[in-house]
Amino acid sequence: RRCNLHCEHCGASKESYAEELTTAEIKKVIDDISGIKRGFFGATGGEPLIRADILDVLAYASEKGLKTGFASNGFLIDQQKAREIKQAEISSIQISLDGDAAIHNKIRNNAQSFDRAISAIKNLQEVKIPTVSVATTLTPSNFDQLETLCDLLKKLKVQKWRISVVMPIGRAEDSGNLLLSAS
């Protein structure tokens, strides 16, 4: 749940989570999963890349025959990190993108987050990650951005786009103005 950003609709936090599983505990879970069924092992957050061992964990899952992936805000995926992701044999990365630069940066509470997300998409495509997708969380502030986002994703040659509504938990619950209404 740790994260480097402070998005208005997220329940994650910059705090440390002492109750996180250790690397060995996660590998045990992967062993159990891979012994039962060949499937998908994914990481979400917050921002999974904050966890120092995340690429090792995902590489381990890949070695055990699981397809792997994670959801990211893209902020930490420079060219070097994209190469490390490729080397870990991660098959799917989902980058969050919530509107044009002004809207996305406002939602993500960071003036660089839009440019970093776009760079992450390009960096991942450049190293040929099999699936680079985008996730958008709809709120009243970005609802009218769908057409703009669609055009941008076409230009970026993004093949998959997941659109979701805000779940009223964490900061989204506290804010009270992020839910879409029928009117």
Side-chain angles (χ1 to χ4, degrees):
R1 293 179 42 112
R2 291 177 288 154
C3 194
N4 54 322
L5 298 179
H6 193 79
C7 305
E8 63 185 21
H9 61 270
C10 188
S13 169
K14 292 182 180 183
E15 298 171 14
S16 173
Y17 286 85
E19 295 179 20
E20 286 184 348
L21 296 177
T22 66
T23 304
E25 290 170 329
I26 294 173
K27 287 183 176 182
K28 170 74 170 95
V29 170
I30 291 169
D31 289 339
D32 293 344
I33 292 170
S34 66
I36 298 169
K37 182 181 181 204
R38 301 286 183 224
F40 182 82
F41 183 83
T44 62
E47 174 53 55
L49 290 172
I50 287 179
R51 189 175 168 120
D53 66 351
I54 194 63
L55 295 182
D56 292 333
V57 165
L58 291 169
Y60 183 78
S62 200
E63 290 168 15
K64 292 292 189 169
L66 300 171
K67 290 189 184 272
T68 59
F70 65 90
S72 172
N73 58 41
F75 202 87
L76 302 174
I77 304 176
D78 57 15
Q79 290 177 328
Q80 177 60 35
K81 186 59 73 179
R83 287 190 292 274
E84 292 171 13
I85 290 166
K86 178 68 174 182
Q87 186 175 3
E89 298 185 26
I90 295 167
S91 59
S92 175
I93 312 287
Q94 178 180 275
I95 302 296
S96 298
L97 196 58
D98 292 319
D100 64 17
I103 294 294
H104 180 83
N105 290 344
K106 179 185 175 294
I107 289 171
R108 301 279 161 178
N109 287 300
N110 185 290
Q112 299 175 18
S113 62
F114 179 84
D115 290 340
R116 300 286 282 268
I118 298 298
S119 289
I121 291 167
K122 291 176 180 178
N123 291 336
L124 293 165
Q125 289 171 331
E126 186 176 306
V127 298
K128 302 195 181 343
I129 297 297
T131 303
V132 179
S133 63
V134 166
T136 300
T137 302
L138 286 181
T139 68
S141 67
N142 70 350
F143 188 78
D144 64 350
Q145 294 275 304
L146 288 176
E147 191 172 330
T148 300
L149 270 171
C150 185
D151 291 342
L152 175 60
L153 298 183
K154 285 178 185 175
K155 191 184 306 181
L156 291 170
K157 296 184 171 95
V158 170
Q159 299 291 318
K160 294 183 180 184
W161 184 21
R162 184 180 64 84
I163 301 171
S164 62
V165 295
V166 171
M167 298 298 293
I169 58 173
R171 285 190 287 274
E173 180 180 38
D174 297 338
S175 128
N177 64 347
L178 298 176
L179 301 178
L180 298 175
S181 68
S183 56

